[in-house]
């Protein structure tokens, strides 16, 4: 079975094509800005502009024709209304013109399922650390439950905002990672873990009032917020009794975060798994894979029920495919 997956929850428009368990293509285009953050309407314009081109590229890469597609999957939740709508429209059009079934999927769960496909993780705790999202998710009693999350902004948005303040450009995560490598000088910052949740707003304000060198601030920011993420992930391991941690989301590309998670897992005799970068960031392949899993469990989305659901949470979805 060939599934085409469309990702459009935020600044990335991606199309992935999978055949059974093989990924045939994973193409994408990301809306970027020089200075400001993401402007939803502009990101949507970007997606409209690139969607046909990305589809062409993906079909070419997969060496298939449109007619070979058996199932159309799209990210239906959660995300920015403007951009989700573009992906949903594109999916509906393909489904109607090709006369193939449609399936709407949850973006956060897709991050977890692609990790399970690509690594040896069987029943992991997912640390999902991206721009807009920061959640610790794991499967329990037919749902993917959120064990901890950010109470304000996502860790990626935190890094991007701080980078914008430093004037080092967008996306900020990779730039901060490079600067952080040049320092070992830790500056005390607030450490904000509340129960199983984290918050970054206060740390950002504190950083903006510091006078230290950029490198020291980047190093200290990373050490602090990553330690917070490691702490809530470790608690989720302890609480659930699970023995695997999977990383997902763009911030998980960060080598220092990977190292800290690996270390924590080693100490707890747990295993950590990190998929390749192209599957950590937002991508169409993960949408296709989750779509296929759901379809094989007997689920489809009727056109009338294919409206976007920007505010659906991970634990609103009944998991019928596990
Ligand atoms: P979502 O819609 O899932 O919230 P997103 O649209 O923010 O995701 P992703 O591609 O998952 O997209 O993640 C982008 C984020 O990842 C940005 O905030 C970026 O700064 C951050 N990032 C990318 N590479 C690194 C890195 N090496 N270190 C830290 N952060 C990184
Ligand atoms: Fe994402």
């Amino acid at each position: 079975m060939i599934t085409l997956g469309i990702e459009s929850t935020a600044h990335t428009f991606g199309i992935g094509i999978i055949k059974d368990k093989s990924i045939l293509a994973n193409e994408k285009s990301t809306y970027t800005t020089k200075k400001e953050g993401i402007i939803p309407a502009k990101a949507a314009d970007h997606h409209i502009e690139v969607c046909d081109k990305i589809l062409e590229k993906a079909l070419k890469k997969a060496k298939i024709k449109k007619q070979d597609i058996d199932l159309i999957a799209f990210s239906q939740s959660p995300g920015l209304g403007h951009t989700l709508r573009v992906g949903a429209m594109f999916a509906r059009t393909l489904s109607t013109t090709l006369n193939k079934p449609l399936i709407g999927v949850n973006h956060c769960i897709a991050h977890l399922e692609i990790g399970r496909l690509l690594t040896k993780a069987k029943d992991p705790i997912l640390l999902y650390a991206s721009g807009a999202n920061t959640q610790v998710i794991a499967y329990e009693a037919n749902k993917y439950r959120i064990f901890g999350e950010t109470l304000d902004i996502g860790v990626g948005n935190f890094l991007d905002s701080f980078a914008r303040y430093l004037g080092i450009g967008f996306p900020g995560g990779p730039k901060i990672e490079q600067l952080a490598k040049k320092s070992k000088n830790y500056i005390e910052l607030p450490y904000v873990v509340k129960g199983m949740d984290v918050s970054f707003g206060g740390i950002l304000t504190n950083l903006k009032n510091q006078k230290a060198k950029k490198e020291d601030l980047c190093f200290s920011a990373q050490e602090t917020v990553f330690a917070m993420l490691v702490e809530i992930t470790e608690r989720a391991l302890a609480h659930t009794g699970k023995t695997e941690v999977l990383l997902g989301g763009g911030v998980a590309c960060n080598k220092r975060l990977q190292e800290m998670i690996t270390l924590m897992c080693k100490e707890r005799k747990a295993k950590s798994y990190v998929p390749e970068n192209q599957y950590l960031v937002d991508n169409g392949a993960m949408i296709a894979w989750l779509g296929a899993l759901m379809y094989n469990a007997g689920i489809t989305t009727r056109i009338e029920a294919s409206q976007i659901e920007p505010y659906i949470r991970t634990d609103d979805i009944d998991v019928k495919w596990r």
Side-chain angles (χ1 to χ4, degrees), residues 170-205:
F170 178 88
K175 307 233 163 78
I176 289 179
E177 179 174 25
Q178 292 317 314
L179 284 172
K181 279 188 190 152
K182 297 181 183 153
S183 165
K184 284 269 174 266
N185 186 20
Y186 184 77
I187 293 155
E188 192 83 28
L189 294 172
Y191 181 93
V192 195
V193 175
K194 299 175 182 173
M196 295 291 279
D197 298 324
V198 289
S199 138
F200 303 106
I203 305 175
L204 187 59
T205 309

Side-chain angles (χ1 to χ4, degrees), residues 7 9 107-108 111 128 130-131 133 249-250 280-283 286:
E7 159 57 26
T9 54
H107 173 96
C108 308
H111 274 289
Y128 175 27
S130 71
N133 293 291
L280 286 174
V281 299
D282 290 349
N283 67 90
M286 68 179 190

Side-chain angles (χ1 to χ4, degrees), residues 1-242:
M1 185 177 80
I2 297 183
T3 307
L4 178 127
I6 301 164
E7 159 57 26
S8 74
T9 54
H11 47 46
T12 298
F13 183 86
I15 291 191
I17 298 174
I18 63 165
K19 183 175 185 183
D20 305 323
K21 288 187 171 184
S22 315
I23 298 172
L24 305 182
N26 191 34
E27 297 297 321
K28 65 176 194 289
S29 169
T30 301
Y31 158 84
T32 54
T33 61
K34 289 237 158 54
K35 281 216 178 87
E36 73 264 15
I38 184 166
I39 299 165
K42 284 198 182 165
D45 287 345
H46 161 268
H47 294 359
I48 291 167
E49 205 177 302
V50 301
C51 56
D52 288 324
K53 201 172 69 200
I54 298 296
L55 175 62
E56 291 283 306
K57 262 177 123 174
L59 292 170
K60 202 166 164 198
K61 188 83 186 270
K63 299 194 176 73
I64 62 158
K65 296 195 199 61
K66 262 189 204 171
Q67 291 70 24
D68 300 328
I69 301 165
D70 299 303
L71 173 68
I72 312 286
F74 70 102
S75 46
Q76 189 171 17
S77 67
L80 302 172
H82 286 79
T83 58
L84 279 170
R85 219 163 272 128
V86 177
M89 277 273 257
F90 197 67
R92 274 181 220 121
T93 310
L94 279 175
S95 162
T96 324
T97 52
L98 299 173
N99 195 23
K100 298 293 173 181
L102 182 68
I103 184 145
V105 315
N106 178 277
H107 173 96
C108 308
I109 296 177
H111 274 289
L112 195 145
E113 291 295 0
I114 195 76
R116 287 213 303 146
L117 172 70
L118 296 175
T119 70
K120 292 201 176 88
K122 289 196 178 63
D123 183 23
I125 305 267
L126 173 73
L127 171 59
Y128 175 27
S130 71
N133 293 291
T134 301
Q135 294 184 336
V136 175
I137 301 170
Y139 181 77
E140 226 169 65
N142 302 314
K143 298 255 188 189
Y144 278 114
R145 315 248 169 213
I146 301 171
F147 284 87
E149 65 187 317
T150 177
L151 298 172
D152 46 29
I153 52 175
V155 64
N157 284 354
F158 160 82
L159 294 169
D160 294 337
S161 302
F162 184 48
R164 205 176 311 137
Y165 168 78
L166 292 176
I168 55 176
F170 178 88
K175 307 233 163 78
I176 289 179
E177 179 174 25
Q178 292 317 314
L179 284 172
K181 279 188 190 152
K182 297 181 183 153
S183 165
K184 284 269 174 266
N185 186 20
Y186 184 77
I187 293 155
E188 192 83 28
L189 294 172
Y191 181 93
V192 195
V193 175
K194 299 175 182 173
M196 295 291 279
D197 298 324
V198 289
S199 138
F200 303 106
I203 305 175
L204 187 59
T205 309
N206 185 292
L207 277 167
K208 289 180 179 171
N209 290 319
Q210 296 278 353
K211 296 268 175 312
K213 279 185 4 199
K214 270 183 193 173
E215 290 78 4
D216 296 344
L217 292 176
C218 290
F219 171 74
S220 309
Q222 274 198 180
E223 293 302 303
T224 306
V225 300
F226 293 167
M228 288 158 46
L229 298 180
V230 172
E231 181 182 333
I232 60 168
T233 307
E234 182 170 17
R235 286 234 203 106
L237 274 176
H239 178 81
T240 57
K242 294 189 196 286

